[in-house]
Amino acid sequence: FGATDCALPMLYATSSKLDIDAFVTITDNETWAGNIHPSQALRQYRVGRCATKSIIVGMTATEFTIADPADLGTFDVVGFDVATPQAISAFVVA
């Protein structure tokens, strides 16, 4: 019942100098409570690195996204069923 900062994984990976292939965010539509938008944090993380991908899984059927719609390295998913893990995997390795 509190605010969710979906940029924290990217900020932590940046400050810790971690090499991440993909960030997977599963959210109940609480998407941006921090000081930086998650898509901006992802762009900052990618500087000088490979094209890290981002998958956002919204667990509520509402208009949501923390992804930049112009970013081809992001994938928005609404809901979760047995096909979701395979779709995420296919996106990450593509």
Side-chain angles (χ1 to χ4, degrees):
F1 296 107
T4 302
D5 186 350
C6 292
L8 286 178
M10 291 76 123
L11 296 174
Y12 178 80
T14 300
S15 67
S16 299
K17 298 180 172 55
L18 300 176
D19 291 323
I20 306 295
D21 294 323
F23 293 99
V24 178
T25 305
I26 300 173
T27 180
D28 63 353
N29 207 30
E30 293 290 331
T31 56
W32 181 22
N35 296 323
I36 184 171
H37 193 277
S39 64
Q40 185 180 8
L42 178 64
R43 276 193 303 275
Q44 288 179 2
Y45 173 79
R46 285 178 176 158
V47 173
R49 292 184 174 85
C50 64
T52 300
K53 296 188 177 178
S54 177
I55 299 92
I56 299 91
V57 182
M59 299 305 289
T60 57
T62 60
E63 290 186 36
F64 88 99
T65 188
I66 58 172
D68 177 352
D71 183 349
L72 298 179
T74 60
F75 182 41
D76 277 332
V77 179
V78 177
F80 203 98
D81 68 11
V82 297
T84 305
Q86 184 177 3
I88 290 171
S89 178
F91 178 74
V92 171
V93 298

